[in-house]
């Protein structure tokens, strides 16, 4: 029978619940268990696809095209749990289902209520992930205990032990123990209140993970155990990791969290095998090289807006023994100050995905700077579209070239909407989404990076390279080196006569892992390393 772990959070948000859940998943997998991961988000949007990156950070796209919470990115980077539409539910989705059932008459005239109808729907979404070949389902509940909109979810997980048996469920609660400088003391009261609130709802946590900036005394954790009604050894202290988020599982394993979970759920686990992960951490602590990559975007100050891109750059750095320093460049600032001012001295330039007009001209200037100064360039989605516009304007001489997203009446829409997209008015889930095949040109730079000519990557965009211009681009030196094999859409462009200029219509950042860096990010970092080396030699 599948066992269920529920991860909740209290005191404040941004405690790293996603990271901790992913780390637990990794530890259980490394003890031979088959794990499924899931996130429940109490907000009312049906999915985060329509939310601003300022509100929500990055939208993480899965193979099946679902637009999900960025914590699913952690799940994929840490575990092998297959993720799908069933891995991320929001209040919006749950209610949508309940209302659709009501409209179909499936409630047979009964009054439809939060308990039991909404909670039943939530429970079903959780239990569906279990099965004969799944040992553990880890369900992370978004938000913080005490949020009004989280209540139906907490009520649903409270009921699950009654349905499937107490011994098959485990509640893990994450809280913050702040350190008060003035009192020179770590404070446990917020944790006590948070657990108190959970217990009022009827949930007694089995394990507490307390997040702290600095280590805390055993006295304090014993006090937390006593006041929160938890066994002493079930209070785990997770101190902030200075060096890398990928150290989190190692810290939790040192505190024997995996063993605690295995004992409490009576899981038939094997010994922990973390050797390669530990080896990776050792290696990345002493990199041999260093490069600076400029990421030119418009949500630069938001820590999570380009989350997977920053992670993928790190992964490529790990594989090339290179510390990747990221220079975050605000595209609008670049428009004002010019590219020389902000981009001189970087070893590579990356323009990530995005929507809307703001900052576009700055991104196009960044591309021009990379192309003309022979700085390695990596364009992703909008970053590819900007590269196409720049080339059209400055090499093909089509001065007004643009994407019809930004100038619907341009004479040269080098990026445009396909016929099938023209009549779509709904915003949610209506883009080209999810995994699609791509055939790479033999001997292209992209094919060399992948070591393959047939790949699959995830998409999330509406606009496409306009095929009417493809020949003119090829003749002038920008080739389409990746094509959708059936639909003939341009997926990858590159400039062979440049040290490294590759741009892709898809999002490779969703498929990179710390121990399996994405080939294009590796190629980009390798090229940046070469440029760095040349720069250093030139200054000697
Ligand atoms: N706005 C562009 C489009 O819709 C690019 C989207 C993206 O970068 N994800 O095609």
């Amino acid at each position: 029978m599948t066992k269920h772990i529920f991860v909740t959070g209290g005191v404040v948000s941004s405690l790293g619940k996603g990271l901790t859940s992913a780390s637990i998943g990794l530890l259980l997998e490394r003890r031979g268990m088959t794990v499924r991961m899931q996130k429940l988000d109490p907000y009312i949007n049906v999915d985060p696809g329509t939310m601003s990156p300022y509100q929500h950070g990055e939208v993480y796209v899965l193979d099946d095209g679902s637009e999900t919470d960025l914590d699913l990115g952690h799940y994929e980077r840490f575990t092998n749990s297959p993720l799908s539409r069933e891995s991320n539910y929001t209040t919006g989705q749950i209610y949508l289902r309940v209302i659709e059932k009501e409209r179909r008459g499936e409630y047979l005239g009964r009054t439809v209520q939060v308990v039991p109808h909404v909670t039943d729907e939530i429970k079903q979404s959780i239990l569906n992930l279990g099965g004969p070949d799944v040992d553990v389902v880890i369900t992370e509940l978004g938000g913080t205990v005490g949020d009004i909109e989280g209540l139906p979810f907490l009520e649903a997980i409270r009921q699950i032990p009654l349905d499937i048996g107490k011994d098959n469920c485990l509640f893990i609660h994450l809280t913050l123990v702040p350190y008060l400088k003035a009192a020179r003391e770590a404070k446990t009261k917020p944790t006590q209140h948070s657990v108190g609130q959970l217990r009022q709802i009827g949930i007694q946590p089995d394990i507490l993970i307390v997040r702290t900036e600095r280590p805390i005394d055993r006295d304090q954790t014993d006090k937390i155990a006593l006041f929160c009604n938890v066994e002493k050894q079930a209070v785990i202290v997770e101190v902030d990791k200075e060096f890398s988020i990928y150290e989190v599982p190692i810290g939790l394993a040192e505190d024997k969290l995996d063993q605690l979970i295995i004992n409490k759920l009576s899981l038939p686990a094997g010994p922990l095998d973390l050797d390669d992960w530990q080896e990776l951490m050792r290696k990345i602590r002493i990199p041999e090289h260093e490069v600076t990559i400029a990421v030119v975007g418009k949500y630069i100050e938001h820590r999570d807006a380009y989350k997977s891109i920053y992670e993928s750059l790190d992964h490529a750095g790990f594989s090339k023994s290179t510390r990747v320093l990221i220079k975050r460049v605000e595209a609008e600032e670049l428009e004002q100050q010019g590219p020389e001012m902000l981009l001189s001295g970087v070893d590579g330039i990356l323009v990530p995905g995005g929507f809307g007009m703001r900052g576009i001209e700055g991104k196009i200037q960044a591309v021009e700077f990379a192309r003309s100064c022979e700085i390695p360039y990596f364009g992703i989605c909008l970053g590819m579209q900007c590269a196409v516009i720049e080339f059209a304007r400055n090499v093909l001489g089509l001065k007004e070239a643009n994407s019809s997203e930004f100038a619907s009446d341009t004479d040269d829409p080098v990026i445009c909407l396909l016929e099938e997209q023209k009549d779509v008015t709904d915003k949610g889930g209506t883009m080209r989404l999810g995994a699609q095949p791509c055939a790479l040109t033999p001997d292209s730079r992209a094919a060399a990076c992948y070591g393959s000519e047939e790949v699959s990557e995830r998409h999330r965009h509406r606009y496409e390279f306009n095929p009417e211009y493809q020949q003119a681009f090829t003749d002038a030196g920008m080739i389409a080196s990746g094509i959708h094999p059936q639909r003939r859409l341009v997926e990858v462009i590159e400039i062979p006569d440049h040290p490294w200029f590759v741009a892709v219509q898809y999002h490779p950042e969703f498929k990179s892992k710390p121990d399996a860096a994405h080939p294009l990010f590796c190629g980009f970092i390798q090229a940046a390393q070469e440029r760095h080396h040349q720069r250093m030699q030139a200054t000697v």
Side-chain angles (χ1 to χ4, degrees), residues 56-323:
H56 189 271
E58 160 186 285
V59 174
Y60 189 81
V61 182
L62 304 180
D63 271 343
D64 70 0
S66 27
E67 299 173 273
T68 69
D69 185 78
L70 56 83
D71 276 331
L72 277 81
H74 291 310
Y75 303 168
E76 280 209 321
R77 290 187 278 269
F78 281 75
T79 76
N80 298 315
S81 165
L83 299 181
S84 71
R85 228 161 264 292
E86 301 198 338
S87 317
N88 190 197
Y89 284 96
T90 66
T91 294
Q93 270 165 56
I94 298 286
Y95 271 82
L96 200 59
R97 285 187 180 196
V98 170
I99 290 166
E100 279 167 2
K101 276 191 184 169
E102 187 273 336
R103 292 289 86 181
R104 288 196 298 266
E106 289 183 27
Y107 295 112
L108 306 174
R110 283 191 290 269
T111 308
V112 181
Q113 296 181 294
V114 173
V115 183
H117 303 104
V118 170
T119 47
D120 278 354
E121 199 62 48
I122 297 172
K123 285 198 290 184
Q124 212 46 59
S125 313
I126 296 170
L127 297 174
N128 271 350
L129 275 193
D133 53 347
V134 178
D135 297 307
V136 185
V137 172
I138 301 175
T139 300
E140 176 196 346
L141 183 53
T144 308
V145 170
D147 297 345
I148 292 176
E149 54 203 12
L151 280 173
F153 290 96
L154 287 168
E155 169 58 16
I157 64 174
R158 179 195 71 77
Q159 293 173 16
I160 288 185
L162 301 176
D163 297 342
I164 65 167
K166 237 173 146 227
D167 296 344
N168 296 319
C169 300
L170 189 78
F171 290 92
I172 300 182
H173 189 56
L174 244 85
T175 68
L176 175 74
V177 171
Y179 181 82
L180 284 195
K181 268 202 198 122
R184 295 215 186 124
E185 217 184 350
K187 289 294 182 188
T188 65
K189 192 68 85 186
T191 296
Q192 295 174 37
H193 281 306
S194 173
V195 173
Q197 236 170 342
L198 258 187
R199 291 171 71 194
Q200 254 173 25
I201 297 165
I203 296 173
Q204 167 62 53
D206 302 290
I207 296 175
L208 286 178
I209 299 181
V210 295
R211 300 277 291 105
T212 63
E213 263 177 56
R214 43 178 103 185
I216 54 176
D217 297 339
R218 199 64 242 176
D219 288 0
Q220 296 281 71
T221 54
D222 287 354
K223 183 173 163 193
I224 293 173
L226 180 66
F227 281 83
C228 297
N229 194 32
V230 174
E231 291 164 25
K232 283 182 185 171
Q233 84 275 12
V235 180
I236 305 280
V237 180
E238 193 189 322
V239 184
D240 290 356
K241 294 282 173 288
E242 253 171 56
F243 188 67
S244 165
I245 55 168
Y246 299 106
E247 291 180 315
V248 172
I250 294 175
L252 295 175
E254 280 165 6
D255 288 337
K256 310 245 176 319
L257 177 64
D258 53 322
Q259 192 56 50
L260 193 65
I261 294 172
I262 281 157
N263 293 347
K264 285 190 180 288
L265 284 175
S266 309
L267 288 165
L272 181 66
D273 180 6
L274 260 191
D275 291 353
D276 57 335
W277 200 268
Q278 269 158 335
E279 180 53 32
L280 181 70
M281 290 307 111
R282 261 195 298 277
K283 245 178 55 191
I284 67 178
R285 275 184 172 273
I286 31 163
E288 292 163 46
H289 316 276
E290 187 173 285
V291 295
T292 304
I293 302 296
V295 176
V296 184
K298 70 171 179 178
Y299 303 109
I300 284 302
E301 76 280 23
H302 192 298
R303 209 169 51 103
D304 286 338
Y306 304 113
K307 183 89 192 151
S308 295
I309 291 203
Y310 297 144
E311 294 304 319
S312 304
L313 287 169
D314 267 351
H315 303 162
F318 298 169
S319 82
K320 301 271 172 210
S321 193
T322 300
R323 186 192 315 269

Side-chain angles (χ1 to χ4, degrees), residues 364 368 371 388-399:
I364 293 173
E368 183 181 4
R371 187 181 52 76
V388 169
I389 298 169
E390 192 279 328
F391 197 86
R393 287 185 191 171
N394 298 327
V395 179
L396 299 183
L398 307 171
K399 290 291 167 218

